[in-house]
Amino acid sequence: MSKYLKSEYLLLLFLIVNMTAEYIMLASISKMVFYGVLALSMPICMMNLNIIKDGFKQCPYMAWWIIIYIIYQSTVGIKYATTENLIYLVAKITTFCVMLLCIGKNYRFYFEKISKPMGYLVVSLLIIGFNKMGMDSASRAFGFYNGNAGCAIAVIGMACFLFKEGKYSKVEIICLLFCAMCVLLGSSRNSLAMMGMLIIFRYGASSKLILAGIIGLLAIVFVLPELGFGVSSVNRMIGTFDGRISIDRDDQREAARWMIEQHPWDGNGFNFVNYGYALSLTDLGAHNGYLNMLEQMGYGFGGLWLGILILGVVKNLKLYKESNIYVRKYLGIMLAILFGANQESYLSGVNQFTTNMLYVSMVVLWMYSYNKKTGKITA
């Protein structure tokens, strides 16, 4: 246990705190711990600037994101220089630096070994909250505030066990299936699609996988309900395709577009809230990470940020033919979360597990590409 007290495991602590941020039983404590970890991280980052500088060399896209945030806040966003927005800016920069520092110092841990502790922690939270419903609905949320958050974390937990070298142990198989069952029992169509993407990334889109998927889907639809389990996510997905259930994001999308139109070039600031016509439609966010980024910083800086994202993703997609199981794991997580960002605000969060797993995945892959190019052995 003492080895985990080293500074290179600070990112692991960050991710654990992120994981519990939306967990009802731990949310209030998690928020305080997050600020404590954030305060602890700043001097640690200052003492390891050489490692972080090397990290920027390997991951230039992250450096550009930080520059965009700083220039935006210092220029067109200066009128939004509230305490909340400045804390957001510091937290975002610090979080990115922690990723570069920790992954740079102990690449092998974050490339290979983090799956085990993270996967078991996810399973533990899901088990404890298994029968808990969401705060705003009657859907199963597994102890989280809503089913979307719980199911998204279950998907990442499943990935921790799905992408593994060698033979699975019985415990790992049980954990993998349990995470998959949580996604099926939850109400999140988005997470169900993300889970399907990860399975395809793991095994490929072969005819055998398609056949197994059809058989599994039939079993889910007809067998599990007979055993007393309602497969909400599957039923909602089928309902979406046959028109019985809507995407139910129209008001949020319209509100987001209105917010962007009000401040197309200066944005609304990092911690904006809906107002005017947008507020009359909904008090919720866009439920779309890409629109959310434009709401924050406008077409100029927000569009530039998204452009850097596209370049960074394309860079990582060049690893698609890699056979390494961990490369495929992080590629799968990256693409699944980017897909999920069409329905959830997964790009702008700070104390949000799914958001930070996206950036961790991208940093791991960027460093893999860099070290492969320079001939260093990292995996």
Side-chain angles (χ1 to χ4, degrees):
M1 178 62 71
S2 60
K3 71 175 183 177
Y4 291 113
L5 298 178
K6 297 179 180 178
S7 62
E8 62 225 56
Y9 297 106
L10 189 61
L11 176 56
L12 176 61
L13 178 58
F14 248 116
L15 293 173
I16 292 172
V17 174
N18 296 159
M19 197 184 300
T20 57
E22 296 179 87
Y23 199 72
I24 297 173
M25 293 172 57
L26 301 172
S28 59
I29 299 174
S30 176
K31 185 176 182 179
M32 292 187 292
V33 175
F34 172 75
Y35 284 117
V37 174
L38 193 65
L40 176 66
S41 301
M42 288 188 280
I44 292 177
C45 288
M46 292 298 294
M47 291 186 290
N48 292 275
L49 287 178
N50 288 337
I51 297 175
I52 295 173
K53 182 179 178 181
D54 188 55
F56 284 131
K57 184 178 179 181
Q58 299 177 63
C59 311
Y61 309 98
M62 189 155 277
W64 281 112
W65 278 333
I66 291 176
I67 292 171
I68 290 170
Y69 282 131
I70 293 173
I71 295 178
Y72 167 76
Q73 186 62 72
S74 303
T75 55
V76 297
I78 191 68
K79 59 185 175 182
Y80 304 121
T82 63
T83 301
E84 291 79 9
N85 282 332
L86 293 176
I87 290 175
Y88 177 95
L89 178 64
V90 171
K92 200 69 177 175
I93 293 172
T94 302
T95 303
F96 282 171
C97 288
V98 167
M99 290 178 188
L100 296 175
L101 168 63
C102 296
I103 298 174
K105 285 188 73 173
N106 196 343
Y107 184 83
R108 186 166 292 277
F109 174 78
Y110 291 98
F111 185 68
E112 297 178 6
K113 300 179 181 179
I114 194 175
S115 291
K116 197 168 185 178
M118 184 179 295
Y120 286 131
L121 181 57
V122 169
V123 169
S124 299
L125 292 176
L126 294 174
I127 289 174
I128 294 170
F130 186 73
N131 289 317
K132 303 293 183 182
M133 301 300 172
M135 295 289 285
D136 56 355
S137 71
S139 63
R140 192 185 294 268
F142 312 107
F144 293 86
Y145 280 113
N146 62 72
N148 292 329
C151 289
I153 288 178
V155 169
I156 297 175
M158 177 183 167
C160 291
F161 299 103
L162 184 65
F163 293 86
K164 179 183 183 297
E165 281 186 320
K167 190 176 180 180
Y168 294 99
S169 69
K170 292 180 180 179
V171 173
E172 289 168 336
I173 292 174
I174 292 171
C175 289
L176 191 159
L177 294 176
F178 176 72
C179 288
M181 183 177 71
C182 287
V183 177
L184 295 172
L185 298 181
S187 58
S188 176
R189 293 163 288 183
N190 203 32
S191 295
L192 181 63
M194 290 166 66
M195 182 175 73
M197 291 178 67
L198 286 172
I199 292 173
I200 292 173
F201 243 86
R202 175 64 176 86
Y203 297 106
S206 64
S207 57
K208 290 182 179 179
L209 180 64
I210 294 173
L211 178 61
I214 293 173
I215 294 173
L217 185 61
L218 291 173
I220 289 166
V221 172
F222 295 107
V223 177
L224 284 183
E226 295 297 322
L227 299 176
F229 294 105
V231 283
S232 301
S233 59
V234 177
N235 292 334
R236 282 168 58 82
M237 180 70 79
I238 294 173
T240 301
F241 284 117
D242 65 21
R244 289 182 294 108
I245 300 176
S246 67
I247 298 296
D248 63 28
R249 294 284 191 262
D250 292 341
D251 287 345
Q252 288 90 335
R253 298 290 189 274
E254 185 177 351
R257 286 190 287 268
W258 186 86
M259 292 282 287
I260 295 170
E261 288 171 3
Q262 305 316 300
H263 295 275
W265 298 107
D266 58 351
N268 294 277
F270 297 129
N271 282 292
F272 67 88
V273 292
N274 287 359
Y275 58 88
Y277 175 64
L279 183 59
S280 72
L281 291 171
T282 178
D283 59 352
L284 300 176
H287 278 281
N288 182 299
Y290 307 100
L291 287 177
N292 184 255
M293 196 59 62
L294 296 178
E295 283 184 278
Q296 278 191 332
M297 296 187 287
Y299 289 121
F301 287 98
L304 183 58
W305 193 101
L306 291 173
I308 299 298
L309 174 67
I310 293 171
L311 291 176
V313 171
V314 170
K315 172 72 173 179
N316 283 336
L317 286 178
K318 293 179 180 179
L319 296 170
Y320 178 75
K321 294 184 179 181
E322 288 281 330
S323 60
N324 187 290
I325 191 69
Y326 300 110
V327 170
R328 299 194 66 77
K329 167 194 166 185
Y330 283 112
L331 275 173
I333 290 175
M334 179 189 75
L335 291 176
I337 295 175
L338 288 171
F339 170 83
N342 283 294
Q343 300 297 327
E344 299 291 342
S345 298
Y346 285 155
L347 302 182
S348 57
V350 178
N351 190 17
Q352 186 181 39
F353 180 68
T354 309
T355 297
N356 284 331
M357 276 305 301
L358 167 64
Y359 298 124
V360 167
S361 299
M362 297 186 80
V363 169
V364 168
L365 293 171
W366 287 331
M367 288 189 175
Y368 183 92
S369 294
Y370 180 87
N371 285 293
K372 184 177 180 182
K373 182 179 180 180
T374 56
K376 296 180 181 179
I377 299 175
T378 59

